Amino acid sequence: MNKKSSLYLALIAMIVIPSIASVISQRNNISNTLVFRTSQRIKGTSRFNKRNKGNKARGENKLYSQNAIISPFNSVVDPNHNYPIGLILYADGNQEVSCTASVINTANGNIGLTAAHCLFDDNSGEPYDQKFLSFSPGYDNGTNGPLGAISVVAIAVPYVDPENNDYALVRFEFDDPNGEYATLQEYTGALGWRFDIGDYEQTSVFGYPEDGGMEGCVRDGRHLCKWQYRISGITHAINNIDFGEGACGGPFITQYEAETNLGYVYAIYSDYIVASNVSFGDIWDEDNFFDLLLRVTP
Ligand SMILES: *[C@@H]1O[C@H](CO)[C@@H](O)[C@H](O)[C@H]1NC(C)=O
Ligand SMILES: *[C@@H]1O[C@H](CO)[C@@H](O)[C@H](O)[C@H]1NC(C)=O
Ligand SMILES: *[C@@H]1O[C@H](CO)[C@@H](O)[C@H](O)[C@H]1NC(C)=O
């Protein structure tokens, strides 16, 4: 933990006492579950049409470098228990929508990955007010994870072609419950990430769907479900399954290890095309991704 970020967190803690206090009260009362109603959307035809075009363009234009490989990060607080994946919720009193997000390994330690469309109001097209967004890693069966619900302080989405770059980085306002200024990833562990994944990759997809075809799982938007097989021939498309509403933003993980509950994320679940019965993951290009990381990191 370097001094500069400790200082930064200390300053944050001093400046925003009211919101920290509310986070703490949620944290200490994990039975006081956030009420869940519905989940994401994205089943409009226009978007799918655009997507098909975009996929083609992207396939023909793979000129970006694909070099960075960042390893998973094991929880320091409890090395036997990583829980980097959780529910990200927007709840403003009138509407509630949820998606899936996960903590990824960064120097900052408080950065997560989700779908960009999960952070925007479908009707207005405007970004959601961050004060109504929260993330609960390890959320299960309607109950927040061990850290409760954590506020969001910054988001970054790609400037280019948002329809076909449907991923976002999010920074959390994490306040170490033990007062040691540990980062979120030191508690939850964090997924590694990479850009070099091709077709037919053996993949595990996780999410909190309230419908769709993930099997062996209660699909009520409150349970973390898992799908494991390999992606179809086309990079990051998976045939014959709808991962379901609420699973959006969920990580596509390669080299997933059940013992550590970690692996490398290389795309996030973006949307499902009804007509062809295909679920799509959006993969980032490395330049865009590093741009997001710079923008979201103080
Ligand atoms: C904890 O949650 C329960 C159930 O929602 C609620 O009745 C109780 O008042 C809460 N306690 C605190 C200290 O917030
Ligand atoms: C979910 O929690 C309820 C109690 O709130 C319990 O009865 C049920 O068995 C749990 N389901 C699963 C799948 O864990
Ligand atoms: C998609 O494929 C799965 C697996 O074959 C099947 O169970 C499901 O009914 C299909 N859904 C649609 C909408 O065709």
Side-chain angles (χ1 to χ4, degrees), residues 213 215 239-242 272-278:
E215 285 173 356
N239 291 331
N240 299 320
I241 188 161
D242 172 5
Y272 168 68
I273 300 187
V274 184
S276 46
N277 203 7
V278 177

Side-chain angles (χ1 to χ4, degrees), residues 148-228:
I150 303 165
S151 305
V152 168
V153 276
I155 68 171
V157 300
Y159 291 130
V160 289
D161 190 11
E163 298 277 327
N164 289 305
N165 291 276
D166 184 15
Y167 54 90
L169 290 184
V170 174
R171 180 159 51 87
F172 303 109
E173 184 176 74
F174 180 63
D175 175 35
D176 181 353
N178 292 321
E180 301 284 338
Y181 302 112
T183 63
L184 179 58
Q185 78 181 31
E186 289 175 290
Y187 278 86
T188 60
L191 301 177
W193 36 282
R194 57 196 304 163
F195 303 91
D196 57 348
I197 303 302
D199 296 345
Y200 302 109
E201 184 75 10
Q202 191 73 33
T203 295
S204 302
V205 179
F206 291 85
Y208 294 90
E210 64 168 22
D211 55 14
M214 285 212 212
E215 285 173 356
C217 175
V218 186
R219 280 158 275 168
D220 60 357
R222 292 165 172 255
H223 290 84
L224 184 61
C225 298
K226 177 182 170 189
W227 174 95
Q228 198 163 17

Side-chain angles (χ1 to χ4, degrees), residues 122-135:
D122 229 9
N123 300 317
S124 68
E126 295 295 316
Y128 283 137
D129 188 335
Q130 278 165 26
K131 70 171 182 278
F132 298 122
L133 284 169
S134 64
F135 172 60

